[in-house]
Amino acid sequence: MRIIDKTVLAKYIFIAVAVILAVSFLVMSNRMYNDMAKEERQKIELWAKAVQLVATGEDNTELDLTLTILSGNKTIPVVLCDEHNTVLMTANIDIPDNDSVHFLKKKIDSFRKSNSPIVIQNPNFKQIVYYGDSSVLKRLQYFPFVQIGVLTVFICVSFLALLSTKNAEQNKVWVGLSKETAHQLGTPISSMLAWVEYLKSQATDISALQEMEKDVSRLQVVADRFSKIGSKPAPENKELCKEIRTSVGYLQTRISKKVLFEFDLPEKPLHVMISTALFSWVIENLIKNAVDAMEGQGTIYITVTSKGNIAYLDITDTGKGMSKSMFKQVFSPGYTTKTRGWGLGLSLAKRIINEYHNGKIYVRNSEISVGTTFRIELPIV
């Protein structure tokens, strides 16, 4: 399983656990709400029974008990009306001094929608009890949403912390691997330089030695690139088009002759702040990926434009292309469609452009069986 697959799987598991917890909170809170609503209903039914007993005028002992029940309701808002909906009594409702009739009418309508009224049937008349939810029950109604909000914040913070830790670990691995690679390359490169000098003294074919020198110099550049990963390189003022031609020129002689290059570069110089060793690495990565996408046959278009203080470099191939869902995924560490390689090329390219050159790199567009365009944005000096 690729690194990216494991990361995606971990995200899905994390989200699934969060959803399960959220649903559990909702179910438990809803059950508590229903139980409390039933309990309040029973209290109001008892309160209505007490009202009925007072109206029928039973003996004093029972009257004392009913009055105790009536005065015991301190939380549930109640309106007692006759059969014509004329208000007879209220409890736990703050009534304004002005327009009390209209206010109570609105309250009755509200209570009727939230709870079924209780009818008190006396021998000579009928009364109706309208009631609303207590403040405790109302708070309980919104409590699960508060829980979900707190849980969401906690999950987001935990997820960001986990992601930050993972990125830090990946960075340490990349930096350590890069510096160790540079160190390991140092010895054979020095040896090869000595052998080149020796062959020169033996009157060996000069043209062959020149090519060997180019490759040894290239190895030195590669070692220099790896040594710069993890440290902040000092960018220099460079002419963008010249740097592009230099980077592409080395590759042109070492890839298939069936791959054609077409340049559309401005005549006016565009100066940008770059680290030559790292920037050329990005260009080579994109070119090699383009060659692989075209399976060693096709055309690579290199275009440079500018707008305002931004220079745009587009590298377009005529390869197999990709779906839109892969535009961001291709820059993830470990992502690769090749049978060999670690899938770090585009990930490192993104880091080099974003962190070391204050620029951007992304897939501008791509079509299956048509080709792909990668774009690099760099600030102009």
Side-chain angles (χ1 to χ4, degrees), residues 2-4 326 329-337 342-345:
R2 296 193 302 268
I3 295 173
I4 185 67
M326 295 173 63
Q329 197 174 1
V330 292
F331 292 102
S332 301
Y335 180 86
T336 179
T337 57
W342 290 2
L344 296 177

Side-chain angles (χ1 to χ4, degrees), residues 54-223:
V54 171
T56 54
E58 300 293 336
D59 60 74
N60 290 337
T61 304
E62 223 171 70
L63 183 62
D64 291 340
L65 178 61
T66 54
L67 290 175
T68 302
I69 294 172
L70 289 174
S71 60
N73 176 27
K74 303 292 185 181
T75 57
I76 305 172
V78 180
V79 177
L80 178 67
C81 299
D82 62 15
E83 55 189 325
H84 304 294
N85 256 9
T86 302
V87 176
L88 303 175
M89 187 176 73
T90 66
N92 304 316
I93 298 175
D94 294 327
I95 303 172
D97 295 332
N98 57 332
D99 201 13
S100 60
V101 176
H102 180 68
F103 174 80
L104 288 173
K105 185 177 181 303
K106 287 181 67 176
K107 277 289 182 185
I108 291 170
D109 291 338
S110 174
F111 291 167
R112 188 188 290 116
K113 290 176 183 177
S114 58
N115 298 298
S116 300
I118 298 170
V119 178
I120 301 173
Q121 196 69 51
N122 290 311
N124 302 321
F125 57 89
K126 183 173 73 172
Q127 294 176 329
I128 304 172
V129 177
Y130 299 98
Y131 73 99
D133 297 330
S134 66
S135 58
V136 175
L137 189 59
K138 285 179 180 178
R139 286 197 295 269
L140 184 61
Q141 189 176 8
Y142 296 105
F143 184 63
F145 300 103
V146 175
Q147 284 181 312
I148 292 173
V150 173
L151 179 64
T152 302
V153 172
F154 174 76
I155 289 173
C156 288
V157 172
S158 301
F159 187 75
L160 289 174
L162 181 66
L163 193 63
S164 177
T165 303
K166 185 174 181 180
N167 287 340
E169 289 176 354
Q170 287 178 344
N171 288 341
K172 287 181 181 178
V173 172
W174 290 346
V175 170
L177 179 63
S178 299
K179 292 191 178 297
E180 180 62 22
T181 302
H183 177 71
Q184 294 295 335
L185 284 172
T187 302
I189 289 173
S190 299
S191 178
M192 289 176 70
L193 285 170
W195 276 108
V196 169
E197 291 302 319
Y198 173 75
L199 290 173
K200 283 181 180 179
S201 67
Q202 299 299 312
T204 310
D205 182 10
I206 296 299
S207 61
L209 281 174
Q210 287 175 341
E211 289 302 314
M212 287 181 65
E213 280 187 308
K214 286 181 182 178
D215 286 332
V216 173
S217 297
R218 201 64 187 173
L219 283 172
Q220 286 179 309
V221 171
V222 171

